[in-house]
Structure formats: structure tokens, C-alpha cells
Amino acid sequence: MFQDLRFGARLLLKNRMVTAVAVISLALGIGANTAMFSFVDAVLLKPFAYQDPERLVMVWEKRPDSDRAMPTGAAFLAWRAHQQVFSHLAAITGAGGDLNLTGGDRAERVSGTFVSANYFETLGVKPALGRGFSAEEDQPGKDHVVVLSQGFWRRQTGADPNVIGRSLTFNSESYTVIGVLPAGGVFDREMTEVWLPLVFKPADQGRQFFTATARLKPGVTLEQANIELKGLCEALEQQGLTPGKGRSAFAQTLRDHVVGVDLRRILLLLLGAVAFILLIACANVANLLLARVALRQREVAIRAALGAGRLRLMRQFLTESMLLAMMGGCGGALLSVWMIKAFIALMPRFTLPTEAEVALDSRALLFTLGASLLTGAVFGLAPAWHASRLDLMKPLQERSAGASARWNRNKSRSLLLVGQLALTCALVIGAALLIRSLSRLLAVDPGFQPERLLTLRTKLDAKRYPLASQMLDYQTELLNRLRALPGVQAAAAANALPFGGNGLETAIRFQRRGSSEPEALGGVSIRIVSPDYFRTLGVRLLGGRELSEQDTAQTAPAVVINQTLAKSRWPGREPLGDQMFFKNDQLTQLPLTVVGVIADLKHWELSDSESKPEIYLSFAQLPEKTLDSLNGRSLQFIARTRVDPGILIGAVQSLAAGIDKDQPVYRLRTMEQAISNTVAAPRFRATLFGLFGALALILASIGVYGVMTYAVEQRTREIGIRVALGAQRGDVLKLALGQGLALTGAGLAVGLAAAFALTRYLTSFLFEVESADAVTYVAVSSLLAIVAFLACYVPARRALRVNPVEILREE
């Protein structure tokens, strides 16, 4: 074997160009596969970095109107008091978790999460400094303690080891630091920066909703836990200890919760795509080695004449193949480090669960080794088999140039080329569908003009701004300063901007002119806005007027509705002048008069196919009690600028600090960035599949060119004789191109059939594009045909330069 390795190494060094092409092709294929395996392994296979992660589950409530819902505080407390299947049951909520951190030079917004006292114990996580929460710290008055993330501790305190016991001010209240979580784990990668105790207030237990996580007792299976939970809920309902009827509970594994169906599917699709690339690379290398076998027929014949058996010959060629594969594997391992970083950089934030830690670890390296060995066997088997089956007498009797003429009749290279083109065709069609889908998505009209819009938000501290009138004063002051800022054309505020949050939902009634009784309308989305909101946003007004400064508390309440609401409740009629009422009369007793109709806006995703009914009210016209209950003191602002809005971010932060240095504004971004974030996932899919498709196309082009170059070289004598006998230029081109184009046609036919069968798995990721989109199939087929033609044409032109005199002289 060592003799074979030394001989193979010398042979590879002698043929540096062939070796370089083979190693680079394999390195790209193996590297991409190793990188994608690292993601699949971290998300789908590797145990999460918790203590006994297989025992961690999420617990959900099942209701008559929902198969999976977050439990209320009352339901959670009842489960915790009576369940027998969990060693720990903890609750988490992010509601109200965004906190104003003050006490420094400038206030900032901090992301927080409220958790029950046993949360860290449930997950088996121990703080690096200090301690976690104790049982009494989830009681009112004892909850002013905080646990910090590693990142927040380093950024805010400079990694002070004496931070335990220090006080931090959140929302104008003092909290004592009791712990710092460890570095590098799950809690160092997620968005939350601080954790606070979750207090179950009796008045809120029926309307607060939580995420529940639990740890199964040793020996208890998931199926047993679900049976017990169902029986427990039935018993609690009979005793009247849970709100509502017909409710049950069930548990699911932590992995099933954090890994959604879409993420699982896209990871497996990407793994399949890189597997295609590796197969294409293998086909390239196999064709190169088959060509080398043809040139080494005399060597093989001499070895056989000296006593080498068939297995011995196969071993020699397989050893050389394995040597190439291991070289490609080493290159692939190095490339995978860069690819993992590149893929993570391309991924939208929080695409991967925080529990998944992607790295080139021992498992990934073991996969690389296995992939290299399997690859060597795959692309080395055909050359080894053919080498062992050569007719050994003819190579000894003929010159080496003539001995290989019969190689053209070998079908192995043709089959490899057809398979290579078929795989490339299927992969490029999948990539083209995703790219076409993304272009359709980006072309969607959001209903307003997103260019040169700067957005920001703030949540006013209830202790500093206890009255709604104070909130309106702050809003007015900030709007006035924004409008006075150089480069700003207009500014407005809302409780929720497009692509910045959901509006409030309520039921209303409406009354048409001339009717004596109001009619039920059902649920609508309420958006509270300031005057100039529609003009600032660039919304199309379809009828009537916008809300204005004249709409005050002393005038009749006005409302603007969207096109969907107008069409659904006033089909074929003019809604202007009609009235509507909130069905819940605690919001307002006054009738709302429809004064305008605007075009539908996209509020969440560009891909939303249907718009919800929406109404727009003015901040100034809502009673203080109503405004306080509806808005929750969360304000969002928008400014239309004459310049690039990004350059005004620092100025906006400064003017906001000038109003109140302890009231931060945050999430300053352009509207185009906000929209871009909503299409980050489809952009990532299209980009990655596009890169893989381009790589497959390059490898396939190299493969076609290599095969056709070799085929022309092997037919040089035949072409020379034909030219000497009077063959014309067109005849020679037809002869040289014919085989390549025939193989291209076969490869495209197989590839189209494969693409039709495989692209249906992309259907859920496509927007306004069918998986069997004819335009895409025709365009990709034409592109591949052109690329293959050029790859065939270059060596075919070389055949026209054959000098028949030299060929005949050799004969």
C-alpha cells in the first residue's frame, strides 16, 4: 500500500494541472457538505447544551379554539401545584421585558425576560458569578433583583468581578444584581440581556400568558407525561381550578419547539443541494481519471504482463483516487471554516435557535473524513474497474497514440457527463425559482413610499409619565424637534408603524346613513396616529380627507378606514359620512365619522396576500382613559427626509436626549431596512441556492469542456484523415460537436424530469411562482444549453486546425 501511495503521489505531482483541478473541485464539494452538515448537526442531531436536554419539554394549553396556546397564569399555577410528571415546571414571558436603563450619561433600551424563580434550575444552568433566583423572589416586593447575561455584564460593567450587589435602575426602579450567567452558552447568544423574577399577580392571572418549560422526572416518557397532563386538566376543570372549559395540556420536546418545520426543511434542502455539488465534482474527477486510464493502458498492460492481478490493478487506481480524495478533504475542511462563517453572516438574525452552536468540531471533521473516503470510492471505482478490464495485448502491440482510439466507445464518460448535467439542471432550476420568487416579493407595493424614511420608537416610563396628557406632551415636543431638524421634510407618530408592530384589535359596529340601527362589523385593527401621518408615510388617499390638526378633542371624532374595510362593508357605496362605534363601550361612547379612505398598507410581510380591515384614529381625539388603555405608552415615530436618513440617526438621538435624557429612543432604522428585514429569510435562501447553482454550473462547464477536449484529442487522426479526403469545415464541426450536444440534450432531459419531481419541496418557500414555472424551466434549459455548447465549441474549433499532412506522415 505504501508503494502504491508513493507511486500515486509521484504521478499526481507529475500531472499538476489535472491534480489541481481535481483537488479544487473536491475541496469545494466536500467543504460545502461539511459546512452544511455542521448546521444540520447543530440544529437537528446534536444534543442541546443543557443538562440532560432530552428531558426538557415545552408545555402548552389546548383549547377548543386553538390546538396550541400559551397557558394563562391561573392555568400554569394550577399545573405546577398538582402535576406529578415534572421535576421542575417554569414560566417565561417577554411581555414588558424591554426596559429603560438609566443612571449613565444616556439612557438605553435593554432587552429583558421575566422568568419564574426555578427557571435556571429547570434548564440546569448555573451562574458564573453569584446565584440564580430564590423561591421567595417571585413575590411582590421581593422581586427587585436581576441576573445579567455575560455580554451585558462585560459591556455595561467592564466585566467587573465585584458586580454582585450593585444596583441598576430599570424603568425608574432599583434592582440588585445577584448573578451573571456563563459565557459561550445558550444565554450568551440570545437576544435577552437581563433576567428578572416573574411575579404572578392575582389580578392578572386570567389574562397574562406565558411560555412554560419543564423537565421530565427520570423514567417518565413524553407519552406518559401527555397522558398525565390530560387527566390532570380534566380533574382541575371538575374542581373549578382552571379558567374555561374543554381545555387540556400537552408537552412537546424542546427540539420540536425550537426547530420549526420550515427551518428543518430548508436545512435538509440545502444539504441536498451541496450533495449534488459533491456528486458533480465526483463526476468531474471520475472523467479526468478515466481519461488518465486511457493514457496509461501500456503501463497497465506491462504491470499485468509482470504478474499483477485484477485486484492488484484496481487497488493501485483506488489508492490514487483515495489520495486525491484525502487531499480534497483537507482542502474542504479548511474551506468549511470560512463557509460556516459566511453562511452565518448571510443568515437572518435568530434564524437558528439559540440552542444550536454551529462549529467545525470533531463530529464535523469525522463527517469530512467519511465524505472524503466515500468520495474517493465513488469517483475512483469506475477508473479502477476499467483499468482492470483492458485488453492487454493491443496496448503492447500498438503505439500509445493509437492504443487509445477505442476509448471513444466507452460509455462511462458519457453516463457521467449526462448525470453531471442532470444534477446541475435540477439544482440551477431550484435556485432560479427561489431567485424569481424573491424578485416578485421585492416588487410588491407596500402601499406607501418607503424611500428616505427614518423610524424610531420609545416606550415612556409609567413612573415618569403617569398621565396620557404627559405622554402627548412628550410626543408633541419630539415631533416638533424632528420637524425642525435640518434635512427633515415631515414627521409623524403612531402606536404601530408598518413593519414595526401590530395594531390594536377590537370589535366595532357601523351605521350607514339613513339607517336607525348599527350593524356588527367584527374585528378590526386600530392604529392611532398623529396628523400628517399619511402624508409623511406617502399613503395614497382614495377618497375624502386625511386626519388633520383640526381633529381635536373639541371636534367630532373622525376616522380614516382602509380600502379593504371600505370594500367589505360598503360594497359599491361611498362610506364617507357614515358612523361607527366601538362595540366595547368602555373605549369611547362617541360615534366615529368616516372622513377618508386610504389604500391598503403592508404591515407585517410583503408576502401577505390579504389585508385586514383597519381604522385610523387621531391621538388628539381619544379620551385620556381610552388613550392610556389602548396605547400602553409605546410610541413609534417616522420622519421623511431630504437626505439619506441614516446620517440623521445621531442627531435624532441627541435631540431626544435633550427632551429627557432618561427616556431612550431606540431601534432607529430606515423603513427600507425594516422592509429588508422581513425578506431576509427568502433573500438568504435565494442567495445560498444561487451560489450553489452557480458553483454547480461552473463545475459542469469544466466537466463538459474536459470531456469534449479529450474526445477531440482522441479523434485527431480520424479528423485529419477526413479532412485529407475532402471533409468540409462544417462537416468537421458537426463531427466534433455532435457527441457533446447529444449528451447535453440527454442530460437536460433527465435534469428537467428530476427538477419537476424535486422542486415541489420548494413550494412553501415560493411567492407568486409555481414550482413547475415554465419560464424558469425554459430559461435555465437555454442557459445550460448555451454553456454546454460553448464548452463543446472551443475544443471543436481546435479540431479545425488539424494539419492532415502531419497526420498522414505519422501514419
Side-chain angles (χ1 to χ4, degrees), residues 328-380:
C330 291
L334 295 175
L335 274 177
S336 66
V337 176
W338 174 82
M339 287 183 176
I340 289 173
K341 293 179 180 179
F343 293 167
I344 291 176
L346 286 172
M347 279 187 173
R349 194 180 182 195
F350 303 121
T351 296
L352 298 178
T354 54
E355 289 81 0
E357 186 173 2
V358 182
L360 186 67
D361 55 14
S362 58
R363 293 163 63 98
L365 290 174
L366 189 61
F367 172 84
T368 304
L369 176 61
S372 301
L373 293 175
L374 181 61
T375 298
V378 167
F379 73 72

Side-chain angles (χ1 to χ4, degrees), residues 93-431:
T93 180
D98 286 339
L99 310 167
N100 292 339
L101 174 64
T102 56
D105 295 335
R106 178 179 290 181
E108 63 177 285
R109 197 68 172 166
V110 175
S111 174
T113 298
F114 292 88
V115 298
S116 59
N118 64 339
Y119 177 67
F120 298 119
E121 188 179 1
T122 300
L123 298 179
V125 176
K126 295 182 179 180
L129 293 176
R131 62 176 178 84
F133 301 120
S134 60
E136 65 272 9
E137 285 170 341
D138 60 4
Q139 302 300 316
K142 300 180 180 180
D143 59 329
H144 279 52
V145 291
V146 61
V147 173
L148 311 180
S149 71
Q150 184 78 195
F152 181 85
W153 171 60
R154 293 183 180 278
R155 174 173 57 84
Q156 198 66 35
T157 71
D160 182 6
N162 301 314
V163 70
I164 305 302
R166 181 186 293 187
S167 293
L168 296 175
T169 303
F170 297 108
N171 291 352
S172 301
E173 296 184 358
S174 179
Y175 287 79
T176 301
V177 178
I178 62 170
V180 178
L181 294 179
V186 172
F187 294 99
D188 199 21
R189 293 193 296 270
E190 69 172 26
M191 183 172 61
T192 300
E193 296 176 285
V194 298
W195 284 262
L196 304 98
L198 174 60
V199 176
F200 294 94
K201 299 177 182 178
D204 295 332
Q205 288 179 12
R207 59 186 182 183
Q208 283 184 317
F209 297 92
F210 306 95
T211 301
T213 187
R215 181 175 290 276
L216 294 170
K217 287 182 176 180
V220 177
T221 65
L222 183 65
E223 292 75 16
Q224 291 171 337
N226 281 327
I227 293 172
E228 291 289 336
L229 283 172
K230 183 178 180 181
L232 172 64
C233 290
E234 292 173 353
L236 292 174
E237 183 178 326
Q238 292 175 359
Q239 299 172 35
L241 297 179
T242 54
K245 294 183 179 181
R247 300 190 178 192
S248 185
F250 70 95
Q252 68 173 154
T253 65
L254 179 64
R255 189 181 298 275
D256 286 343
H257 166 64
V258 300
V259 181
V261 175
D262 281 351
L263 177 58
R264 185 187 302 270
R265 182 177 298 170
I266 196 63
L267 285 176
L268 294 177
L269 284 171
L270 288 170
L271 187 62
V274 294
F276 275 23
I277 291 176
L278 184 55
L279 288 174
I280 293 168
C282 285
N284 264 357
V285 178
N287 267 325
L288 286 172
L289 294 185
L290 282 170
R292 296 301 303 164
V293 170
L295 297 176
R296 294 171 63 184
Q297 287 186 77
R298 288 177 61 82
E299 173 200 332
V300 173
I302 293 172
R303 283 175 176 270
L306 293 176
R310 184 171 181 179
L311 291 178
R312 180 66 183 81
L313 293 172
M314 290 185 67
R315 194 184 80 180
Q316 171 64 50
F317 280 88
L318 280 174
T319 301
E320 296 172 15
S321 301
M322 289 298 179
L323 188 58
L324 260 183
M326 296 309 296
M327 293 169 64
C330 291
L334 295 175
L335 274 177
S336 66
V337 176
W338 174 82
M339 287 183 176
I340 289 173
K341 293 179 180 179
F343 293 167
I344 291 176
L346 286 172
M347 279 187 173
R349 194 180 182 195
F350 303 121
T351 296
L352 298 178
T354 54
E355 289 81 0
E357 186 173 2
V358 182
L360 186 67
D361 55 14
S362 58
R363 293 163 63 98
L365 290 174
L366 189 61
F367 172 84
T368 304
L369 176 61
S372 301
L373 293 175
L374 181 61
T375 298
V378 167
F379 73 72
L381 190 59
W385 177 259
H386 279 281
S388 67
R389 297 180 69 244
L390 291 175
D391 185 349
L392 302 180
M393 293 304 296
K394 289 186 179 295
L396 294 176
Q397 296 170 354
E398 300 174 355
R399 296 190 322 238
S400 59
S404 59
R406 217 172 47 256
W407 184 248
N408 291 308
R409 296 197 294 268
N410 195 290
K411 297 179 181 179
S412 299
R413 291 180 304 131
S414 299
L415 291 175
L416 286 170
L417 185 59
V418 168
Q420 191 177 35
L421 287 170
L423 291 172
T424 302
C425 182
L427 183 54
V428 174
I429 283 177

Side-chain angles (χ1 to χ4, degrees), residues 702-754:
I702 294 172
V704 174
Y705 177 78
V707 168
M708 294 313 301
T709 298
Y710 180 76
V712 170
E713 288 178 354
Q714 297 307 302
R715 303 183 73 171
T716 301
R717 289 191 303 161
E718 176 188 347
I719 293 172
I721 294 172
R722 287 178 177 270
V723 171
L725 294 176
Q728 299 300 310
R729 182 185 181 93
D731 297 328
V732 175
L733 272 177
K734 182 178 179 181
L735 175 68
L737 287 173
Q739 182 183 9
L741 295 181
L743 294 176
T744 298
L748 290 180
V750 176
L752 289 172

